[in-house]
């Protein structure tokens, strides 16, 4: 894409001390490539998270305060409550079980889930909650 606005999920690795929060609007110029499912290794992350594009060589990064969607608001609220009431490890496991988001789980702990054959626990419940939040968001957006 030469220029313009896209409404897609992208993967963008931002380096440095930049304050970006969920719901912020981010604009930039840079090079974008379509994430392939397989290059040197299998790229399951892009496929599972519906992120067909990767941004690299970005510049002119501007972050402005945006509005969280209903699902982002629910996720943030739940995460804040879990972190406030549980230790970091347990909060990350409960959050992953509820929303299928495993990035906060330390890699050694996730490996134990995988090796023991129960890593599916971290995704199945998250899928159902995600569907519920999506339906609720759709219904509320029509009001």
């Amino acid at each position: 894409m030469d220029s313009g606005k896209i409404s897609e999920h992208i993967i963008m690795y931002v380096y440095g001390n930049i304050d970006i929060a969920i719901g912020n609007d981010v604009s930039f110029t840079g090079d974008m490539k379509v994430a392939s499912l397989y290059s040197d290794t299998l790229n399951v992350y892009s496929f599972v998270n519906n992120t067909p594009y990767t941004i690299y060589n970005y510049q002119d990064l501007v972050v402005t305060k945006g509005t969280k969607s209903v699902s982002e608001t629910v996720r943030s609220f739940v995460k804040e409550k879990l972190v406030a009431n549980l230790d970091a490890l347990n909060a990350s496991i409960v959050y992953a079980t509820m929303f299928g988001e495993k990035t906060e789980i330390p890699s050694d702990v996730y490996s134990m889930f995988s090796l023991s054959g129960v890593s599916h626990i971290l995704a199945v419940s998250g899928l159902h909650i995600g569907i519920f939040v999506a339906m609720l968001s759709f219904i509320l957006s029509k009001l």
Side-chain angles (χ1 to χ4, degrees):
M1 174 177 282
D2 292 329
S3 65
K5 183 176 181 177
I6 61 170
S7 295
E8 296 284 345
H9 293 103
I10 62 170
I11 297 173
M12 180 175 173
Y13 299 99
V14 178
Y15 299 98
N17 189 14
I18 300 172
D19 188 23
I20 300 177
I22 294 173
N24 285 156
D25 294 319
V26 179
S27 63
F28 57 90
T29 57
D31 299 321
M32 179 174 67
K33 68 178 182 177
V34 176
S36 62
L37 182 58
Y38 184 83
S39 54
D40 294 334
T41 60
L42 189 61
N43 184 3
V44 177
Y45 183 85
S46 291
F47 180 73
V48 169
N49 292 294
N50 191 25
T51 52
Y53 302 105
T54 301
I55 303 299
Y56 57 101
N57 297 333
Y58 67 87
Q59 55 192 351
D60 304 324
L61 182 71
V62 177
V63 179
T64 56
K65 186 172 174 75
T67 306
K68 291 181 186 178
S69 68
V70 173
S71 65
E72 291 167 339
T73 302
V74 169
R75 284 176 177 243
S76 294
F77 176 79
V78 169
K79 189 173 190 175
E80 288 171 13
K81 294 299 179 188
L82 290 172
V83 169
N85 293 293
L86 298 172
D87 64 81
L89 178 59
N90 286 330
S92 66
I93 292 171
V94 171
Y95 187 78
T97 304
M98 292 177 71
F99 295 103
E101 178 64 50
K102 299 174 280 288
T103 57
E104 299 286 328
I105 297 176
S107 59
D108 59 326
V109 174
Y110 186 75
S111 293
M112 286 189 277
F113 272 90
S114 289
L115 291 172
S116 63
V118 294
S119 62
H120 63 280
I121 291 172
L122 302 174
V124 175
S125 295
L127 173 66
H128 294 116
I129 297 294
I131 291 170
F132 173 74
V133 169
M135 289 187 323
L136 184 62
S137 176
F138 176 76
I139 291 168
L140 292 175
S141 70
K142 298 296 181 184
L143 297 177

